């Protein structure tokens, strides 16, 4: 996972690279969620992806410290603790 932070006061945006190597199906459904000081929300919800199109850079906005979770077809494949 490569992380880049664009900061300032308040919320910040983090870019994470999501490799598609762990996808069991092709195509598969991608879901990305973030939990932080502002609550839990879904950044990407069950969007179809093709393994050949990966990896993908996903921009996640958040506040304070949090956790980003990535799911392929409803199965958790990545958890990353971050500071926004």
């Amino acid at each position: 996972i490569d992380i880049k932070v664009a900061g300032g006061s308040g919320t910040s945006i983090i870019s994470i690279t999501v490799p598609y190597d762990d996808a069991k199906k092709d195509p598969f459904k991608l879901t990305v969620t973030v939990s932080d000081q502002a609550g839990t929300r879904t950044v990407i919800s069950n969007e179809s992806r093709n393994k050949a199109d990966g990896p993908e850079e996903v921009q996640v906005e958040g506040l304070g410290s949090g956790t980003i979770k990535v799911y392929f077809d409803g199965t958790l494949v990545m958890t990353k603790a971050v500071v926004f």
Side-chain angles (χ1 to χ4, degrees):
I1 300 173
D2 295 324
I3 297 179
K4 301 173 189 169
V5 178
S9 60
T11 62
S12 295
I13 296 173
I14 291 178
S15 296
I16 65 165
T17 301
V18 178
Y20 291 171
D21 302 337
D22 290 336
K24 304 284 188 227
K25 298 179 184 176
D26 194 10
F28 65 95
K29 300 289 187 181
L30 173 66
T31 300
V32 178
T33 64
V34 61
S35 299
D36 63 6
Q37 292 177 347
T40 299
R41 59 209 166 276
T42 302
V43 179
I44 297 174
S45 180
N46 283 320
E47 292 184 11
S48 184
R49 296 292 193 271
N50 294 309
K51 286 179 78 169
D53 294 337
E56 177 177 349
E57 188 170 308
V58 177
Q59 305 248 337
V60 181
E61 185 173 3
L63 178 65
S65 59
T67 304
I68 298 170
K69 294 183 179 181
V70 178
Y71 301 83
F72 293 167
D73 293 315
T75 300
L76 181 65
V77 295
M78 183 186 310
T79 301
K80 183 69 180 174
V82 295
V83 177
F84 292 98

